[in-house]
Amino acid sequence: MSETVLENIRTRRVVREMTDQPVAQEQIEKILEAARWAPSGGNLRPNRYIVVEDPETRRLIRLVSPGMFQKAPVLILICTDGDVLTEHSLPPTDRALLIDIGTAAQTIMLATHALGLASGPVTSYSKEAVKVILNLPASYSPEMFICIGHKAETTRRGMTAWKRITWRDLTHWERFPDD
Ligand SMILES: Cc1cc2nc3c(=O)[nH]c(=O)nc-3n(C[C@H](O)[C@H](O)[C@H](O)COP(=O)(O)O)c2cc1C
């Protein structure tokens, strides 16, 4: 692994204030290409991606998304396609599905950051309303938006001012001792 990749991982932050400067089509395609390479449980690839740039559609989505603070010029919606689950006899509760969404989300956000753009994930929205707004196929479950754009100068601070944590705070080595 190169230091550049580590630096990209370290410096990516969720951005909740973006300008309305558009994102080039070529950059959006590079981000989607990166998502295609995200790992997927059993290599089943149940994720589908919906790109939304239309201003009126984005406005409607924001109306039903209390956790979407950005007015991002591009939204990528990560969906799970239930038809893929049926094909492979997977229940919708299979935990690999949520993990697949996570691997795709982080891959999209790191690719976005590598291109000099800003991103922010959003899970706080009405799934039912989003299905209607986007006229999603019945088998698609809308799981997570990634907002993409250019960072505004005045940037909203993070969600909560937690104390700074290190990897040591999050890690335990080896087997836990017996009581
Ligand atoms: C599963 C998940 C759901 C999230 N949902 C939202 C959301 O609805 N709105 C939002 O502004 N940020 C959301 N976030 C972003 C987190 O709040 C953010 O990653 C966290 O505060 C740490 O900030 P950082 O990634 O810049 O270090 C979500 C992140 C994850 C992983």
Side-chain angles (χ1 to χ4, degrees):
M1 183 184 267
S2 73
E3 277 301 318
T4 314
V5 172
L6 290 175
E7 184 65 8
N8 188 44
I9 292 169
R10 242 189 327 261
T11 56
R12 178 214 56 80
R13 290 282 70 78
V14 167
V15 173
R16 298 190 177 89
E17 281 189 39
M18 296 180 184
T19 68
D20 50 16
Q21 188 187 337
V23 176
Q25 170 78 18
E26 187 194 18
Q27 289 186 307
I28 301 172
E29 290 180 9
K30 278 188 179 165
I31 292 164
L32 294 165
E33 163 79 359
R36 177 259 171 273
W37 291 107
S40 169
N43 206 12
L44 298 184
R45 308 206 168 270
N47 289 349
R48 297 292 178 270
Y49 304 95
I50 318 290
V51 182
V52 183
E53 295 182 278
D54 176 67
E56 180 57 13
T57 313
R58 287 187 285 116
R59 189 185 71 80
L60 291 174
I61 290 171
R62 277 202 315 278
L63 283 178
V64 300
S65 307
M68 190 178 285
F69 304 100
Q70 309 86 338
K71 288 188 177 164
V74 179
L75 305 177
I76 296 180
L77 175 62
I78 307 173
C79 296
T80 300
D81 183 358
D83 283 350
V84 178
L85 314 189
T86 308
E87 193 185 327
H88 297 280
S89 307
L90 272 187
T93 50
D94 191 295
R95 69 195 172 104
L97 300 174
L98 282 179
I99 297 169
D100 270 24
I101 294 156
T103 62
Q106 180 70 338
T107 302
I108 288 171
M109 291 190 285
L110 290 177
T112 302
H113 186 45
L115 292 169
L117 296 164
S119 70
V122 176
T123 52
S124 170
Y125 55 86
S126 160
K127 287 179 82 167
E128 288 312 311
V130 165
K131 281 185 199 174
V132 173
I133 292 168
L134 292 174
N135 196 24
L136 291 184
S139 65
Y140 278 34
S141 174
E143 298 296 341
M144 189 182 223
F145 281 104
I146 309 293
C147 302
I148 294 172
H150 298 263
K151 184 176 175 176
E153 287 303 319
T154 52
T155 299
R156 190 184 291 258
R157 55 194 284 272
M159 284 292 222
T160 319
W162 300 104
K163 79 173 176 64
R164 185 166 286 276
I165 52 169
T166 73
W167 65 267
R168 289 184 180 82
D169 299 317
L170 306 173
T171 309
H172 178 85
W173 294 89
E174 307 293 1
R175 182 177 181 275
F176 283 86
D178 295 320
D179 288 337

